[in-house]
Amino acid sequence: VEIDVPPPAKGQVQVRNLWMSVDPYMRNRMNKGASYVPPFQLGQPLQGGAVGEVIVSEDSDFRPGDLVMSMLGWRELFNVGAGALQKIDPDGLPPQLFLGLAGMPGLTAYIGLCRIARAKAQETVFVSAAAGAVGSAACQIALINGCKVIGSAGGSTKIEFLREIGVDQTIDYKASPDLAAVLARAAPSGIDIYFDNVGGPHLEAALANSRPFGRIVLCGSISQTDRPARGPSNIGIAVSKRLTLQGFIVSDHLREMAGFVAEMGDWIKSGRIKWRETVDRGIESAPAALLKLFAGENVGKMLVKLA
Ligand SMILES: NC(=O)c1ccc[n+]([C@@H]2O[C@H](COP(=O)([O-])OP(=O)(O)OC[C@H]3O[C@@H](n4cnc5c(N)ncnc54)[C@H](OP(=O)(O)O)[C@@H]3O)[C@@H](O)[C@H]2O)c1
């Protein structure tokens, strides 16, 4: 839909979006009431994280040229009350990183690994969707914490990326019909932590290979999208091995964002954490970009570049 955007009113800021984030949770918001965020409304733009540049400001806290984060409808140019915007201090980082490693997906990896699983040095951590936005951050934060990391992803390009970022053992699950057996070979003494981005067969393989008192972080279950729900058939193992399975939602942990961004900024600038991104261009490419997440066509963070 094309509309005219008038000059901003007093207290408003006009923003031109530069980058839009494309995230798996958006698919769940297309189901009636099935998500932890309210469903999208028919006839309204999809909403999501975006980084933009202030064009005109009628608020004393913002100036033209400021970089801002918003969580509004997918759009190129808009006026909004200043309270809906968060200023970004890029501090030498590319602005789109605040939608990826230095933003919500990075914080998700950090919280899951460091707060929920409380990963310790020498532990063996298994990560699924390991070449994605959250997964690649989880792998590298685990490596920084001195863990041994096993990463699973689909296809040789992603496996190559995992090797580049220093993942100790890689599994191309699309070429591994018996995932539990492949994981057993990669971790003969079992895994201490499973960072679950996908659910389904990966979760079953992780249960089968967990050490006693292992921790399973339930971050997402993208493999179960648009399928009749399939519970792990071997969940009973959680009893005999005294496992802890814990889900979490990153939005409960936003108070940690500022500290995390500072730490992540240091890791990125010192080269300890690397990133990839998959960039589609133009707002018209956004629906196809969203579908790519479910076909595994993204490496690293999926983004739409607008300007
Ligand atoms: N709990 C939270 O607060 C929170 C916050 C953010 C994200 N998440 C969750 O974290 C997960 C990763 O999100 P992200 O933004 O980083 O996405 P992403 O990993 O960058 O992209 C999604 C990836 O999922 C993999 N995938 C898709 N279908 C699959 C299947 N059937 N089996 C196995 N893997 C499959 C694909 O990688 P392959 O090519 O390797 O299959 C795809 O590239 C998602 O489940 C998301 O919902 C949770």
Side-chain angles (χ1 to χ4, degrees), residues 20-22 133 278-280 289 292-293 298 300-304:
M20 290 189 336
S21 181
V22 181
T278 302
V279 180
D280 284 357
K292 285 186 179 178
L293 295 171
N298 63 308
K301 176 68 195 156
M302 186 74 226
L303 293 161
V304 172

Side-chain angles (χ1 to χ4, degrees), residues 29 31 35-41 47:
R29 293 189 70 184
N31 297 339
S35 178
Y36 47 88
V37 267
F40 289 133
Q41 297 301 305
Q47 294 164 337

Side-chain angles (χ1 to χ4, degrees), residues 54-116:
V54 172
I55 304 297
V56 186
S57 177
E58 295 296 340
D59 183 276
S60 55
D61 285 344
F62 291 89
R63 286 201 216 144
D66 282 349
L67 282 177
V68 290
M69 172 87 80
S70 62
M71 269 297 289
L72 299 164
W74 281 1
R75 60 192 70 187
E76 294 167 303
L77 186 76
F78 60 96
N79 295 331
V80 76
L85 298 173
Q86 199 191 326
K87 216 183 279 189
I88 295 174
D89 171 11
D91 193 25
L93 299 181
Q96 71 272 25
L97 274 192
F98 293 87
L99 298 171
L101 267 184
M104 183 278 281
L107 182 68
T108 302
Y110 177 81
I111 294 294
L113 202 67
C114 301
R115 298 284 180 261
I116 307 296

Side-chain angles (χ1 to χ4, degrees), residues 24 108 132-134 153-154 158 173 197-198 219-220 223 248-250 293 296 298:
T108 302
V134 173
K158 294 188 180 192
Y173 76 95
N197 284 315
V198 307
C219 176
S223 78
F248 75 103
I249 300 294
V250 67
L293 295 171
N298 63 308

Side-chain angles (χ1 to χ4, degrees), residues 64-269:
D66 282 349
L67 282 177
V68 290
M69 172 87 80
S70 62
M71 269 297 289
L72 299 164
W74 281 1
R75 60 192 70 187
E76 294 167 303
L77 186 76
F78 60 96
N79 295 331
V80 76
L85 298 173
Q86 199 191 326
K87 216 183 279 189
I88 295 174
D89 171 11
D91 193 25
L93 299 181
Q96 71 272 25
L97 274 192
F98 293 87
L99 298 171
L101 267 184
M104 183 278 281
L107 182 68
T108 302
Y110 177 81
I111 294 294
L113 202 67
C114 301
R115 298 284 180 261
I116 307 296
R118 292 193 288 277
K120 295 188 282 293
Q122 314 303 328
E123 289 191 313
T124 299
V125 180
F126 175 46
V127 181
S128 53
V134 173
S136 59
C139 288
Q140 296 182 84
I141 295 170
L143 289 167
I144 286 173
N145 277 286
C147 300
K148 180 189 164 192
V149 178
I150 303 169
S152 164
S156 55
T157 305
K158 294 188 180 192
I159 295 300
E160 208 175 291
F161 171 49
L162 294 182
R163 291 194 183 121
E164 256 173 60
I165 61 177
V167 166
D168 298 289
Q169 305 246 21
T170 57
I171 295 175
D172 178 353
Y173 76 95
K174 289 188 175 163
S176 312
D178 187 349
L179 194 51
V182 177
L183 182 57
R185 281 199 292 280
S189 329
I191 57 173
D192 299 289
I193 294 170
Y194 170 45
F195 193 108
D196 187 20
N197 284 315
V198 307
H202 277 85
L203 180 52
E204 289 175 348
L207 282 161
N209 283 285
S210 281
R211 284 186 183 147
F213 299 98
R215 289 95 78 202
I216 295 184
V217 181
L218 302 173
C219 176
S221 52
I222 196 166
S223 78
Q224 303 301 292
T225 311
D226 292 327
R227 289 200 186 156
R230 169 182 158 177
S233 58
N234 56 351
I235 187 72
I237 289 176
V239 178
S240 52
K241 292 188 180 173
R242 288 82 106 200
L243 305 180
T244 302
L245 286 77
Q246 186 178 342
F248 75 103
I249 300 294
V250 67
S251 51
D252 293 337
H253 301 268
L254 294 181
R255 64 188 176 283
E256 298 221 35
M257 184 65 101
F260 164 74
V261 169
E263 192 161 29
M264 178 56 85
D266 289 344
W267 287 334
I268 293 169
K269 284 181 220 157

